[in-house]
PDB file of all heavy atoms in Angstrom:
ATOM      1  N   VAL A 117       0.177  10.501   8.467  1.00  0.00           N
ATOM      2  CA  VAL A 117      -0.689   9.501   7.628  1.00  0.00           C
ATOM      3  C   VAL A 117      -0.147   9.405   6.245  1.00  0.00           C
ATOM      4  O   VAL A 117      -0.069   8.322   5.669  1.00  0.00           O
ATOM      5  CB  VAL A 117      -2.050   9.883   7.780  1.00  0.00           C
ATOM      6  CG1 VAL A 117      -2.921   9.077   6.838  1.00  0.00           C
ATOM      7  CG2 VAL A 117      -2.582   9.597   9.292  1.00  0.00           C
ATOM      8  N   VAL A 118       0.090  10.574   5.624  1.00  0.00           N
ATOM      9  CA  VAL A 118       0.547  10.578   4.307  1.00  0.00           C
ATOM     10  C   VAL A 118       1.888   9.918   4.133  1.00  0.00           C
ATOM     11  O   VAL A 118       2.140   9.158   3.203  1.00  0.00           O
ATOM     12  CB  VAL A 118       0.480  11.983   3.561  1.00  0.00           C
ATOM     13  CG1 VAL A 118       1.246  12.039   2.247  1.00  0.00           C
ATOM     14  CG2 VAL A 118      -0.932  12.525   3.547  1.00  0.00           C
ATOM     15  N   LYS A 119       2.915  10.232   5.087  1.00  0.00           N
ATOM     16  CA  LYS A 119       4.152   9.592   4.976  1.00  0.00           C
ATOM     17  C   LYS A 119       3.961   7.995   5.051  1.00  0.00           C
ATOM     18  O   LYS A 119       4.623   7.337   4.261  1.00  0.00           O
ATOM     19  CB  LYS A 119       5.000   9.962   6.119  1.00  0.00           C
ATOM     20  CG  LYS A 119       5.632  11.394   6.106  1.00  0.00           C
ATOM     21  CD  LYS A 119       6.332  11.780   7.331  1.00  0.00           C
ATOM     22  CE  LYS A 119       7.016  12.949   7.356  1.00  0.00           C
ATOM     23  NZ  LYS A 119       7.696  13.360   8.570  1.00  0.00           N
ATOM     24  N   ALA A 120       3.019   7.509   5.863  1.00  0.00           N
ATOM     25  CA  ALA A 120       2.782   6.116   5.931  1.00  0.00           C
ATOM     26  C   ALA A 120       2.267   5.597   4.659  1.00  0.00           C
ATOM     27  O   ALA A 120       2.652   4.576   4.211  1.00  0.00           O
ATOM     28  CB  ALA A 120       1.844   5.823   7.117  1.00  0.00           C
ATOM     29  N   GLY A 121       1.388   6.334   4.098  1.00  0.00           N
ATOM     30  CA  GLY A 121       0.724   6.021   2.906  1.00  0.00           C
ATOM     31  C   GLY A 121       1.773   5.875   1.832  1.00  0.00           C
ATOM     32  O   GLY A 121       1.692   4.860   0.934  1.00  0.00           O
ATOM     33  N   LEU A 122       2.646   6.745   1.703  1.00  0.00           N
ATOM     34  CA  LEU A 122       3.687   6.760   0.773  1.00  0.00           C
ATOM     35  C   LEU A 122       4.672   5.486   0.920  1.00  0.00           C
ATOM     36  O   LEU A 122       5.110   4.915  -0.014  1.00  0.00           O
ATOM     37  CB  LEU A 122       4.591   7.985   0.663  1.00  0.00           C
ATOM     38  CG  LEU A 122       3.701   9.216   0.170  1.00  0.00           C
ATOM     39  CD1 LEU A 122       4.534  10.547   0.416  1.00  0.00           C
ATOM     40  CD2 LEU A 122       3.441   9.119  -1.483  1.00  0.00           C
ATOM     41  N   GLU A 123       4.962   5.343   2.144  1.00  0.00           N
ATOM     42  CA  GLU A 123       5.831   4.201   2.546  1.00  0.00           C
ATOM     43  C   GLU A 123       5.118   2.767   2.237  1.00  0.00           C
ATOM     44  O   GLU A 123       5.901   1.854   1.679  1.00  0.00           O
ATOM     45  CB  GLU A 123       6.391   4.199   3.920  1.00  0.00           C
ATOM     46  CG  GLU A 123       7.405   3.320   4.230  1.00  0.00           C
ATOM     47  CD  GLU A 123       8.130   3.513   5.588  1.00  0.00           C
ATOM     48  OE1 GLU A 123       8.265   4.622   6.035  1.00  0.00           O
ATOM     49  OE2 GLU A 123       8.396   2.534   6.255  1.00  0.00           O
ATOM     50  N   ILE A 124       3.849   2.711   2.410  1.00  0.00           N
ATOM     51  CA  ILE A 124       3.161   1.549   2.069  1.00  0.00           C
ATOM     52  C   ILE A 124       3.173   1.445   0.498  1.00  0.00           C
ATOM     53  O   ILE A 124       3.398   0.202   0.049  1.00  0.00           O
ATOM     54  CB  ILE A 124       1.671   1.605   2.528  1.00  0.00           C
ATOM     55  CG1 ILE A 124       1.612   1.364   4.002  1.00  0.00           C
ATOM     56  CG2 ILE A 124       0.734   0.606   1.787  1.00  0.00           C
ATOM     57  CD1 ILE A 124       0.234   1.686   4.782  1.00  0.00           C
ATOM     58  N   GLN A 125       3.005   2.435  -0.218  1.00  0.00           N
ATOM     59  CA  GLN A 125       3.134   2.235  -1.646  1.00  0.00           C
ATOM     60  C   GLN A 125       4.616   1.780  -2.096  1.00  0.00           C
ATOM     61  O   GLN A 125       4.600   0.917  -3.000  1.00  0.00           O
ATOM     62  CB  GLN A 125       2.655   3.590  -2.329  1.00  0.00           C
ATOM     63  CG  GLN A 125       1.329   3.936  -2.248  1.00  0.00           C
ATOM     64  CD  GLN A 125       0.238   2.875  -2.947  1.00  0.00           C
ATOM     65  OE1 GLN A 125       0.603   1.648  -3.022  1.00  0.00           O
ATOM     66  NE2 GLN A 125      -0.758   3.381  -3.373  1.00  0.00           N
ATOM     67  N   ILE A 126       5.575   2.240  -1.572  1.00  0.00           N
ATOM     68  CA  ILE A 126       6.899   1.869  -1.834  1.00  0.00           C
ATOM     69  C   ILE A 126       7.089   0.439  -1.447  1.00  0.00           C
ATOM     70  O   ILE A 126       7.569  -0.459  -2.338  1.00  0.00           O
ATOM     71  CB  ILE A 126       7.975   2.691  -1.028  1.00  0.00           C
ATOM     72  CG1 ILE A 126       7.961   4.144  -1.531  1.00  0.00           C
ATOM     73  CG2 ILE A 126       9.301   2.019  -1.159  1.00  0.00           C
ATOM     74  CD1 ILE A 126       8.740   5.034  -0.784  1.00  0.00           C
ATOM     75  N   TYR A 127       6.628  -0.047  -0.389  1.00  0.00           N
ATOM     76  CA  TYR A 127       6.622  -1.549   0.054  1.00  0.00           C
ATOM     77  C   TYR A 127       5.943  -2.312  -0.997  1.00  0.00           C
ATOM     78  O   TYR A 127       6.441  -3.353  -1.404  1.00  0.00           O
ATOM     79  CB  TYR A 127       6.045  -1.658   1.487  1.00  0.00           C
ATOM     80  CG  TYR A 127       5.849  -3.076   1.747  1.00  0.00           C
ATOM     81  CD1 TYR A 127       7.085  -3.817   2.369  1.00  0.00           C
ATOM     82  CD2 TYR A 127       4.753  -3.878   1.526  1.00  0.00           C
ATOM     83  CE1 TYR A 127       6.902  -5.160   2.712  1.00  0.00           C
ATOM     84  CE2 TYR A 127       4.634  -5.268   1.865  1.00  0.00           C
ATOM     85  CZ  TYR A 127       5.774  -5.929   2.398  1.00  0.00           C
ATOM     86  OH  TYR A 127       5.616  -7.193   2.626  1.00  0.00           O
ATOM     87  N   MET A 128       4.769  -1.912  -1.296  1.00  0.00           N
ATOM     88  CA  MET A 128       3.950  -2.679  -2.291  1.00  0.00           C
ATOM     89  C   MET A 128       4.555  -2.733  -3.642  1.00  0.00           C
ATOM     90  O   MET A 128       4.555  -3.789  -4.399  1.00  0.00           O
ATOM     91  CB  MET A 128       2.466  -2.241  -2.346  1.00  0.00           C
ATOM     92  CG  MET A 128       1.692  -2.600  -1.104  1.00  0.00           C
ATOM     93  SD  MET A 128       1.761  -4.408  -0.595  1.00  0.00           S
ATOM     94  CE  MET A 128       0.773  -4.961  -1.899  1.00  0.00           C
ATOM     95  N   LYS A 129       5.185  -1.579  -4.146  1.00  0.00           N
ATOM     96  CA  LYS A 129       5.834  -1.611  -5.399  1.00  0.00           C
ATOM     97  C   LYS A 129       7.044  -2.567  -5.403  1.00  0.00           C
ATOM     98  O   LYS A 129       7.172  -3.313  -6.393  1.00  0.00           O
ATOM     99  CB  LYS A 129       6.312  -0.265  -5.776  1.00  0.00           C
ATOM    100  CG  LYS A 129       7.383  -0.185  -6.926  1.00  0.00           C
ATOM    101  CD  LYS A 129       6.675   0.541  -8.189  1.00  0.00           C
ATOM    102  CE  LYS A 129       7.737   0.634  -9.226  1.00  0.00           C
ATOM    103  NZ  LYS A 129       8.487  -0.414  -9.665  1.00  0.00           N
ATOM    104  N   ASN A 130       7.845  -2.655  -4.230  1.00  0.00           N
ATOM    105  CA  ASN A 130       8.931  -3.633  -4.275  1.00  0.00           C
ATOM    106  C   ASN A 130       8.395  -4.979  -4.137  1.00  0.00           C
ATOM    107  O   ASN A 130       8.937  -5.879  -4.907  1.00  0.00           O
ATOM    108  CB  ASN A 130       9.746  -3.206  -2.983  1.00  0.00           C
ATOM    109  CG  ASN A 130      10.496  -1.995  -3.107  1.00  0.00           C
ATOM    110  OD1 ASN A 130      10.831  -1.350  -4.147  1.00  0.00           O
ATOM    111  ND2 ASN A 130      10.856  -1.421  -1.959  1.00  0.00           N
ATOM    112  N   ARG A 131       7.397  -5.200  -3.396  1.00  0.00           N
ATOM    113  CA  ARG A 131       6.695  -6.551  -3.448  1.00  0.00           C
ATOM    114  C   ARG A 131       6.259  -6.957  -4.825  1.00  0.00           C
ATOM    115  O   ARG A 131       6.489  -8.148  -5.235  1.00  0.00           O
ATOM    116  CB  ARG A 131       5.613  -6.669  -2.464  1.00  0.00           C
ATOM    117  CG  ARG A 131       5.028  -7.870  -2.058  1.00  0.00           C
ATOM    118  CD  ARG A 131       5.629  -8.424  -0.807  1.00  0.00           C
ATOM    119  NE  ARG A 131       5.125  -9.749  -0.439  1.00  0.00           N
ATOM    120  CZ  ARG A 131       5.763 -10.797  -0.082  1.00  0.00           C
ATOM    121  NH1 ARG A 131       7.132 -10.654  -0.063  1.00  0.00           N
ATOM    122  NH2 ARG A 131       5.302 -11.998   0.029  1.00  0.00           N
ATOM    123  N   MET A 132       5.578  -6.100  -5.530  1.00  0.00           N
ATOM    124  CA  MET A 132       5.134  -6.458  -6.741  1.00  0.00           C
ATOM    125  C   MET A 132       6.272  -6.684  -7.681  1.00  0.00           C
ATOM    126  O   MET A 132       6.287  -7.720  -8.579  1.00  0.00           O
ATOM    127  CB  MET A 132       4.259  -5.246  -7.424  1.00  0.00           C
ATOM    128  CG  MET A 132       3.565  -5.663  -8.765  1.00  0.00           C
ATOM    129  SD  MET A 132       2.695  -4.150  -9.493  1.00  0.00           S
ATOM    130  CE  MET A 132       1.962  -3.428  -8.120  1.00  0.00           C
ATOM    131  N   ASP A 133       7.330  -5.925  -7.688  1.00  0.00           N
ATOM    132  CA  ASP A 133       8.517  -6.225  -8.506  1.00  0.00           C
ATOM    133  C   ASP A 133       9.135  -7.593  -8.242  1.00  0.00           C
ATOM    134  O   ASP A 133       9.523  -8.326  -9.128  1.00  0.00           O
ATOM    135  CB  ASP A 133       9.536  -5.207  -8.255  1.00  0.00           C
ATOM    136  CG  ASP A 133       9.123  -3.759  -8.865  1.00  0.00           C
ATOM    137  OD1 ASP A 133       8.129  -3.723  -9.593  1.00  0.00           O
ATOM    138  OD2 ASP A 133       9.766  -2.782  -8.568  1.00  0.00           O
ATOM    139  N   GLU A 134       9.220  -8.031  -6.936  1.00  0.00           N
ATOM    140  CA  GLU A 134       9.777  -9.273  -6.558  1.00  0.00           C
ATOM    141  C   GLU A 134       9.003 -10.364  -7.086  1.00  0.00           C
ATOM    142  O   GLU A 134       9.410 -11.398  -7.698  1.00  0.00           O
ATOM    143  CB  GLU A 134       9.849  -9.311  -5.018  1.00  0.00           C
ATOM    144  CG  GLU A 134      10.831  -8.604  -4.275  1.00  0.00           C
ATOM    145  CD  GLU A 134      10.499  -8.661  -2.822  1.00  0.00           C
ATOM    146  OE1 GLU A 134       9.738  -9.561  -2.211  1.00  0.00           O
ATOM    147  OE2 GLU A 134      11.167  -7.777  -2.132  1.00  0.00           O
ATOM    148  N   LYS A 135       7.566 -10.177  -6.961  1.00  0.00           N
ATOM    149  CA  LYS A 135       6.638 -11.258  -7.570  1.00  0.00           C
ATOM    150  C   LYS A 135       6.667 -11.285  -9.084  1.00  0.00           C
ATOM    151  O   LYS A 135       6.668 -12.413  -9.644  1.00  0.00           O
ATOM    152  CB  LYS A 135       5.308 -10.964  -7.002  1.00  0.00           C
ATOM    153  CG  LYS A 135       5.114 -11.111  -5.628  1.00  0.00           C
ATOM    154  CD  LYS A 135       5.189 -12.573  -5.078  1.00  0.00           C
ATOM    155  CE  LYS A 135       4.932 -12.749  -3.609  1.00  0.00           C
ATOM    156  NZ  LYS A 135       5.039 -14.171  -3.217  1.00  0.00           N
ATOM    157  N   SER A 136       6.805 -10.190  -9.708  1.00  0.00           N
ATOM    158  CA  SER A 136       6.811 -10.177 -11.093  1.00  0.00           C
ATOM    159  C   SER A 136       8.145 -10.863 -11.720  1.00  0.00           C
ATOM    160  O   SER A 136       8.159 -11.505 -12.636  1.00  0.00           O
ATOM    161  CB  SER A 136       6.924  -8.750 -11.604  1.00  0.00           C
ATOM    162  OG  SER A 136       5.572  -8.219 -11.453  1.00  0.00           O
ATOM    163  N   ALA A 137       9.254 -10.594 -10.961  1.00  0.00           N
ATOM    164  CA  ALA A 137      10.520 -11.145 -11.389  1.00  0.00           C
ATOM    165  C   ALA A 137      10.497 -12.716 -11.305  1.00  0.00           C
ATOM    166  O   ALA A 137      11.169 -13.442 -11.873  1.00  0.00           O
ATOM    167  CB  ALA A 137      11.658 -10.608 -10.361  1.00  0.00           C
ATOM    168  N   ALA A 138       9.604 -13.174 -10.316  1.00  0.00           N
ATOM    169  CA  ALA A 138       9.523 -14.641 -10.078  1.00  0.00           C
ATOM    170  C   ALA A 138       8.342 -15.173 -10.915  1.00  0.00           C
ATOM    171  O   ALA A 138       8.025 -16.360 -10.881  1.00  0.00           O
ATOM    172  CB  ALA A 138       9.098 -14.946  -8.689  1.00  0.00           C
ATOM    173  N   GLY A 139       7.897 -14.462 -11.832  1.00  0.00           N
ATOM    174  CA  GLY A 139       6.762 -14.726 -12.749  1.00  0.00           C
ATOM    175  C   GLY A 139       5.371 -14.862 -12.187  1.00  0.00           C
ATOM    176  O   GLY A 139       4.516 -15.503 -12.798  1.00  0.00           O
ATOM    177  N   THR A 140       5.056 -14.239 -11.129  1.00  0.00           N
ATOM    178  CA  THR A 140       3.885 -14.283 -10.369  1.00  0.00           C
ATOM    179  C   THR A 140       3.177 -12.924 -10.543  1.00  0.00           C
ATOM    180  O   THR A 140       3.790 -11.834 -10.298  1.00  0.00           O
ATOM    181  CB  THR A 140       4.179 -14.524  -8.875  1.00  0.00           C
ATOM    182  OG1 THR A 140       4.854 -15.804  -8.828  1.00  0.00           O
ATOM    183  CG2 THR A 140       2.802 -14.766  -8.150  1.00  0.00           C
ATOM    184  N   ASP A 141       1.783 -13.000 -10.865  1.00  0.00           N
ATOM    185  CA  ASP A 141       1.060 -11.735 -10.823  1.00  0.00           C
ATOM    186  C   ASP A 141       0.907 -11.377  -9.419  1.00  0.00           C
ATOM    187  O   ASP A 141       0.877 -12.100  -8.564  1.00  0.00           O
ATOM    188  CB  ASP A 141      -0.268 -12.086 -11.492  1.00  0.00           C
ATOM    189  CG  ASP A 141      -0.264 -12.189 -13.019  1.00  0.00           C
ATOM    190  OD1 ASP A 141       0.682 -11.650 -13.684  1.00  0.00           O
ATOM    191  OD2 ASP A 141      -1.184 -12.825 -13.671  1.00  0.00           O
ATOM    192  N   TYR A 142       0.666 -10.028  -9.263  1.00  0.00           N
ATOM    193  CA  TYR A 142       0.558  -9.443  -7.967  1.00  0.00           C
ATOM    194  C   TYR A 142      -0.439  -8.305  -8.025  1.00  0.00           C
ATOM    195  O   TYR A 142      -0.657  -7.753  -9.134  1.00  0.00           O
ATOM    196  CB  TYR A 142       1.781  -8.993  -7.404  1.00  0.00           C
ATOM    197  CG  TYR A 142       1.891  -9.187  -5.863  1.00  0.00           C
ATOM    198  CD1 TYR A 142       1.767 -10.289  -5.137  1.00  0.00           C
ATOM    199  CD2 TYR A 142       1.969  -7.992  -5.135  1.00  0.00           C
ATOM    200  CE1 TYR A 142       1.779 -10.404  -3.804  1.00  0.00           C
ATOM    201  CE2 TYR A 142       1.952  -7.982  -3.622  1.00  0.00           C
ATOM    202  CZ  TYR A 142       1.847  -9.224  -3.040  1.00  0.00           C
ATOM    203  OH  TYR A 142       1.845  -9.294  -1.724  1.00  0.00           O
ATOM    204  N   TRP A 143      -0.967  -7.879  -6.991  1.00  0.00           N
ATOM    205  CA  TRP A 143      -2.070  -6.851  -6.966  1.00  0.00           C
ATOM    206  C   TRP A 143      -1.264  -5.517  -6.719  1.00  0.00           C
ATOM    207  O   TRP A 143      -0.206  -5.375  -6.249  1.00  0.00           O
ATOM    208  CB  TRP A 143      -3.041  -6.983  -5.923  1.00  0.00           C
ATOM    209  CG  TRP A 143      -2.743  -7.229  -4.575  1.00  0.00           C
ATOM    210  CD1 TRP A 143      -2.421  -6.182  -3.641  1.00  0.00           C
ATOM    211  CD2 TRP A 143      -2.505  -8.504  -3.919  1.00  0.00           C
ATOM    212  NE1 TRP A 143      -1.976  -6.794  -2.523  1.00  0.00           N
ATOM    213  CE2 TRP A 143      -2.024  -8.123  -2.521  1.00  0.00           C
ATOM    214  CE3 TRP A 143      -2.599  -9.853  -4.225  1.00  0.00           C
ATOM    215  CZ2 TRP A 143      -1.733  -9.115  -1.661  1.00  0.00           C
ATOM    216  CZ3 TRP A 143      -2.288 -10.713  -3.338  1.00  0.00           C
ATOM    217  CH2 TRP A 143      -1.934 -10.432  -2.032  1.00  0.00           C
ATOM    218  N   ASN A 144      -2.005  -4.409  -7.127  1.00  0.00           N
ATOM    219  CA  ASN A 144      -1.506  -2.981  -6.889  1.00  0.00           C
ATOM    220  C   ASN A 144      -2.373  -2.583  -5.738  1.00  0.00           C
ATOM    221  O   ASN A 144      -3.414  -3.063  -5.397  1.00  0.00           O
ATOM    222  CB  ASN A 144      -1.762  -2.276  -8.081  1.00  0.00           C
ATOM    223  CG  ASN A 144      -0.679  -1.185  -8.314  1.00  0.00           C
ATOM    224  OD1 ASN A 144      -0.243  -0.643  -7.223  1.00  0.00           O
ATOM    225  ND2 ASN A 144      -0.364  -0.899  -9.572  1.00  0.00           N
ATOM    226  N   THR A 145      -1.950  -1.325  -5.114  1.00  0.00           N
ATOM    227  CA  THR A 145      -2.780  -0.803  -4.102  1.00  0.00           C
ATOM    228  C   THR A 145      -3.100   0.697  -4.370  1.00  0.00           C
ATOM    229  O   THR A 145      -2.395   1.360  -5.065  1.00  0.00           O
ATOM    230  CB  THR A 145      -1.884  -0.844  -2.680  1.00  0.00           C
ATOM    231  OG1 THR A 145      -0.651  -0.261  -2.971  1.00  0.00           O
ATOM    232  CG2 THR A 145      -1.726  -2.299  -2.133  1.00  0.00           C
ATOM    233  N   ARG A 146      -4.122   0.999  -3.620  1.00  0.00           N
ATOM    234  CA  ARG A 146      -4.564   2.444  -3.640  1.00  0.00           C
ATOM    235  C   ARG A 146      -4.595   2.853  -2.166  1.00  0.00           C
ATOM    236  O   ARG A 146      -5.001   2.174  -1.263  1.00  0.00           O
ATOM    237  CB  ARG A 146      -5.873   2.519  -4.205  1.00  0.00           C
ATOM    238  CG  ARG A 146      -6.032   2.193  -5.745  1.00  0.00           C
ATOM    239  CD  ARG A 146      -7.399   2.411  -6.273  1.00  0.00           C
ATOM    240  NE  ARG A 146      -8.473   1.980  -5.512  1.00  0.00           N
ATOM    241  CZ  ARG A 146      -9.250   0.948  -5.713  1.00  0.00           C
ATOM    242  NH1 ARG A 146      -9.025   0.216  -6.736  1.00  0.00           N
ATOM    243  NH2 ARG A 146     -10.158   0.639  -4.969  1.00  0.00           N
ATOM    244  N   VAL A 147      -4.176   4.204  -1.939  1.00  0.00           N
ATOM    245  CA  VAL A 147      -4.226   4.703  -0.583  1.00  0.00           C
ATOM    246  C   VAL A 147      -5.127   5.956  -0.679  1.00  0.00           C
ATOM    247  O   VAL A 147      -4.865   6.754  -1.513  1.00  0.00           O
ATOM    248  CB  VAL A 147      -2.787   5.088   0.056  1.00  0.00           C
ATOM    249  CG1 VAL A 147      -2.920   5.752   1.345  1.00  0.00           C
ATOM    250  CG2 VAL A 147      -2.077   3.768   0.161  1.00  0.00           C
ATOM    251  N   GLY A 148      -6.216   6.065   0.244  1.00  0.00           N
ATOM    252  CA  GLY A 148      -6.855   7.356   0.435  1.00  0.00           C
ATOM    253  C   GLY A 148      -6.887   7.935   1.735  1.00  0.00           C
ATOM    254  O   GLY A 148      -6.817   7.154   2.722  1.00  0.00           O
ATOM    255  N   VAL A 149      -6.723   9.287   1.773  1.00  0.00           N
ATOM    256  CA  VAL A 149      -6.621  10.061   3.054  1.00  0.00           C
ATOM    257  C   VAL A 149      -7.535  11.142   3.145  1.00  0.00           C
ATOM    258  O   VAL A 149      -7.646  11.918   2.153  1.00  0.00           O
ATOM    259  CB  VAL A 149      -5.168  10.507   3.316  1.00  0.00           C
ATOM    260  CG1 VAL A 149      -5.008  11.244   4.642  1.00  0.00           C
ATOM    261  CG2 VAL A 149      -4.107   9.278   3.110  1.00  0.00           C
ATOM    262  N   HIS A 150      -8.178  11.196   4.251  1.00  0.00           N
ATOM    263  CA  HIS A 150      -9.009  12.311   4.530  1.00  0.00           C
ATOM    264  C   HIS A 150      -8.871  12.806   5.966  1.00  0.00           C
ATOM    265  O   HIS A 150      -8.659  11.908   6.863  1.00  0.00           O
ATOM    266  CB  HIS A 150     -10.556  12.125   4.280  1.00  0.00           C
ATOM    267  CG  HIS A 150     -11.533  13.270   4.627  1.00  0.00           C
ATOM    268  ND1 HIS A 150     -11.297  14.523   3.872  1.00  0.00           N
ATOM    269  CD2 HIS A 150     -12.467  13.520   5.455  1.00  0.00           C
ATOM    270  CE1 HIS A 150     -12.388  15.234   4.449  1.00  0.00           C
ATOM    271  NE2 HIS A 150     -13.043  14.633   5.321  1.00  0.00           N
ATOM    272  N   SER A 151      -9.058  14.021   6.285  1.00  0.00           N
ATOM    273  CA  SER A 151      -8.888  14.422   7.695  1.00  0.00           C
ATOM    274  C   SER A 151     -10.079  15.142   8.203  1.00  0.00           C
ATOM    275  O   SER A 151     -10.832  15.880   7.373  1.00  0.00           O
ATOM    276  CB  SER A 151      -7.656  15.594   7.750  1.00  0.00           C
ATOM    277  OG  SER A 151      -6.546  15.048   7.216  1.00  0.00           O
ATOM    278  N   GLY A 152     -10.424  14.844   9.485  1.00  0.00           N
ATOM    279  CA  GLY A 152     -11.613  15.346  10.192  1.00  0.00           C
ATOM    280  C   GLY A 152     -11.896  14.708  11.422  1.00  0.00           C
ATOM    281  O   GLY A 152     -11.269  13.684  11.701  1.00  0.00           O
ATOM    282  N   PRO A 153     -13.052  14.993  12.020  1.00  0.00           N
ATOM    283  CA  PRO A 153     -13.409  14.391  13.179  1.00  0.00           C
ATOM    284  C   PRO A 153     -13.951  12.943  12.985  1.00  0.00           C
ATOM    285  O   PRO A 153     -14.627  12.716  11.960  1.00  0.00           O
ATOM    286  CB  PRO A 153     -14.460  15.427  13.834  1.00  0.00           C
ATOM    287  CG  PRO A 153     -15.062  15.938  12.538  1.00  0.00           C
ATOM    288  CD  PRO A 153     -13.946  16.082  11.576  1.00  0.00           C
ATOM    289  N   VAL A 154     -13.946  12.216  13.939  1.00  0.00           N
ATOM    290  CA  VAL A 154     -14.526  10.854  14.019  1.00  0.00           C
ATOM    291  C   VAL A 154     -14.992  10.502  15.432  1.00  0.00           C
ATOM    292  O   VAL A 154     -14.636  11.157  16.312  1.00  0.00           O
ATOM    293  CB  VAL A 154     -13.389   9.666  13.649  1.00  0.00           C
ATOM    294  CG1 VAL A 154     -12.946   9.816  12.227  1.00  0.00           C
ATOM    295  CG2 VAL A 154     -12.330   9.574  14.634  1.00  0.00           C
ATOM    296  N   ILE A 155     -15.955   9.557  15.482  1.00  0.00           N
ATOM    297  CA  ILE A 155     -16.353   9.092  16.806  1.00  0.00           C
ATOM    298  C   ILE A 155     -15.649   7.649  16.928  1.00  0.00           C
ATOM    299  O   ILE A 155     -15.561   6.871  15.898  1.00  0.00           O
ATOM    300  CB  ILE A 155     -17.891   8.892  16.792  1.00  0.00           C
ATOM    301  CG1 ILE A 155     -18.628  10.099  16.464  1.00  0.00           C
ATOM    302  CG2 ILE A 155     -18.249   8.172  17.995  1.00  0.00           C
ATOM    303  CD1 ILE A 155     -18.459  11.188  17.506  1.00  0.00           C
ATOM    304  N   ALA A 156     -15.038   7.332  18.000  1.00  0.00           N
ATOM    305  CA  ALA A 156     -14.343   6.175  18.263  1.00  0.00           C
ATOM    306  C   ALA A 156     -14.884   5.496  19.490  1.00  0.00           C
ATOM    307  O   ALA A 156     -15.354   6.062  20.408  1.00  0.00           O
ATOM    308  CB  ALA A 156     -12.933   6.407  18.378  1.00  0.00           C
ATOM    309  N   GLY A 157     -14.911   4.224  19.383  1.00  0.00           N
ATOM    310  CA  GLY A 157     -15.298   3.358  20.595  1.00  0.00           C
ATOM    311  C   GLY A 157     -15.619   1.939  20.166  1.00  0.00           C
ATOM    312  O   GLY A 157     -15.268   1.465  19.122  1.00  0.00           O
ATOM    313  N   VAL A 158     -16.492   1.384  21.186  1.00  0.00           N
ATOM    314  CA  VAL A 158     -16.929  -0.020  20.979  1.00  0.00           C
ATOM    315  C   VAL A 158     -18.511  -0.018  20.971  1.00  0.00           C
ATOM    316  O   VAL A 158     -19.061   0.654  21.900  1.00  0.00           O
ATOM    317  CB  VAL A 158     -16.342  -0.843  22.125  1.00  0.00           C
ATOM    318  CG1 VAL A 158     -16.861  -2.267  22.038  1.00  0.00           C
ATOM    319  CG2 VAL A 158     -14.783  -0.850  22.012  1.00  0.00           C
TER     320      VAL A 158
END
């Protein structure tokens, strides 16, 4: 999960850099991770 979070941040930094180079404002991201039990279902 943390590896994925770091990779998402790299992707978004690259996207932000591309948009900034084109003169477009772009958003930043935050990633939060916690570990523990969950209930899953429908």
Side-chain angles (χ1 to χ4, degrees):
V117 170
V118 171
K119 285 180 183 177
L122 290 170
E123 194 166 322
I124 284 170
Q125 291 296 30
I126 291 168
Y127 172 84
M128 290 304 293
K129 167 112 178 45
N130 291 339
R131 189 97 179 133
M132 188 184 317
D133 289 349
E134 290 170 13
K135 294 294 184 175
S136 293
T140 305
D141 285 335
Y142 207 66
W143 59 82
N144 213 327
T145 53
R146 297 183 313 251
V147 173
V149 180
H150 180 61
S151 302
V154 298
I155 302 296
V158 177

